[in-house]
Amino acid sequence: MGRILSSKYLFWVVLALPAIPMMLAVASDPGRAEGLLHPTGEFAARFMIIAMMITPLRMIFPKAGWLNWMMRRRRALGVAAFFYAALHTVFYVIESGALQPMLDEFWKLGIWTGWLAFAIFMPLGLTSNNTSQRWLLAGWKTLQRFVYPAAVLTLLHWIFVHNNLGPALVHFIPLAALEVWRIWKTYSGRPEPRVAA
């Protein structure tokens, strides 16, 4: 039983479960795509935030077994974030119905930030595998760091699409606080550089 619960495949299934009724709903009635834009966007943002919070939380609680468990599944969370972002984009295209309505609103702050965030997510999601990691070597970590500007763009997209600051900040403030702490902790312990005589 313990082996089943710790299975990575089961974790993938759990991450995919919310998407199944959404895709079935839109397949049966494309008009329902509009109502599913917000849920898919929220799932994308939440999975991204959870994946990003794991490293600073492990620095605070290095002996927490559940964080080690989450760390082994961080890549799956990142891929799930990309998948829901892709689903969010597909539903947006379906809801728009044609290219012209999308072009008409492209330069709105809440829209182009979403497109740019998704453009960044694409290479991150597509290279989140062992083969890409071996092929890109040190460049893989550099590429994955682009998740930080993607997160900022996602926050702006959320705020300006809904013209509502509160819900977006509720999701992103814990991540921002942890990242500020992680950066402070990482650099505050470094020795002062030697000054030449």
Side-chain angles (χ1 to χ4, degrees):
M1 188 64 172
R3 183 177 295 180
I4 294 173
L5 292 175
S6 63
S7 168
K8 290 184 179 180
Y9 298 107
L10 178 60
F11 192 65
W12 278 107
V13 170
V14 170
L15 293 176
L17 278 177
I20 296 172
M22 294 180 188
M23 291 188 292
L24 291 174
V26 174
S28 62
D29 179 9
R32 298 181 68 177
E34 182 179 5
L36 293 171
L37 283 173
H38 188 60
T40 49
E42 278 199 355
F43 273 111
R46 287 169 180 167
F47 286 137
M48 176 193 67
I49 289 167
I50 293 169
M52 293 177 71
M53 289 174 71
I54 293 171
T55 296
L57 282 172
R58 282 187 78 214
M59 293 173 68
I60 299 171
F61 307 106
K63 295 182 180 179
W66 67 275
L67 281 171
N68 292 327
W69 187 90
M70 290 290 290
M71 188 68 182
R72 293 191 295 272
R73 288 155 181 81
R74 185 175 62 170
R75 187 180 296 180
L77 287 163
V79 173
F82 167 65
F83 171 74
Y84 281 95
L87 199 59
H88 179 70
T89 305
V90 170
F91 287 172
Y92 170 70
V93 172
I94 292 172
E95 185 271 332
S96 297
L99 178 62
Q100 193 58 49
M102 291 189 289
L103 293 176
D104 289 343
E105 64 177 6
F106 180 82
W107 292 111
K108 292 180 179 178
L109 183 58
I111 301 300
W112 69 260
T113 49
W115 280 110
L116 185 55
F118 183 61
I120 295 173
F121 274 134
M122 284 185 68
L124 300 184
L126 295 174
T127 58
S128 289
N129 54 74
N130 292 333
T131 302
S132 296
Q133 192 171 4
R134 287 192 296 268
W135 182 58
L136 292 170
L137 300 175
W140 186 83
K141 278 194 172 181
T142 301
L143 177 63
Q144 294 299 315
R145 289 191 185 103
F146 277 91
V147 72
Y148 295 103
V152 173
L153 289 164
T154 300
L155 172 61
L156 292 173
H157 173 65
W158 191 337
I159 291 171
F160 287 98
V161 160
H162 298 287
N163 293 315
N164 193 345
L165 191 65
L169 291 183
V170 165
H171 283 77
F172 278 88
I173 281 178
L175 172 62
L178 284 170
E179 287 297 337
V180 168
W181 181 88
R182 181 183 66 82
I183 293 168
W184 172 81
K185 187 69 175 176
T186 300
Y187 291 98
S188 65
R190 293 189 174 183
E192 292 285 336
R194 292 183 178 180
V195 180

